[in-house]
Amino acid sequence: MKRTRFQKFLEITASVVGVVALLITALGYPQVGFVVALFASALYATYGYLTKQYGIMVSSLIYAAVEVVGIIRWVFLGVNNGS
């Protein structure tokens, strides 16, 4: 599969954003980490669609659903550190 320059850039950007989201969450800021991870999932879904890799697209949408649950629990319900 030949990828365009934009698709390569999108893949790298999504990976970097995903790692930054994990780092932010690990440093103790899950509220921000989940939002950044949701953005990474959107980038991955876009990448999957553009490259016709629908498995990546579907799995990133599933991850996005998990991140939305995390956002609801940590931001709106105020769940802190599993308490």
Side-chain angles (χ1 to χ4, degrees):
M1 169 185 70
K2 184 156 173 81
R3 293 176 299 159
T4 65
R5 177 176 267 178
F6 175 73
Q7 290 168 340
K8 291 176 186 177
F9 174 77
L10 186 59
E11 179 182 20
I12 292 168
T13 303
S15 296
V16 169
V17 171
V19 169
V20 168
L22 286 172
L23 181 63
I24 291 169
T25 303
L27 290 175
Y29 302 98
Q31 298 90 341
V32 178
F34 278 116
V35 173
V36 175
L38 184 61
F39 180 66
S41 289
L43 292 175
Y44 273 120
T46 303
Y47 173 77
Y49 177 77
L50 291 176
T51 59
K52 295 182 177 33
Q53 296 182 52
Y54 300 114
I56 291 174
M57 185 179 72
V58 169
S59 65
S60 66
L61 293 174
I62 293 169
Y63 277 113
V66 171
E67 290 147 4
V68 167
V69 169
I71 290 169
I72 291 169
R73 286 180 50 89
W74 287 88
V75 176
F76 297 109
L77 298 179
V79 175
N80 292 319
N81 298 327
S83 302

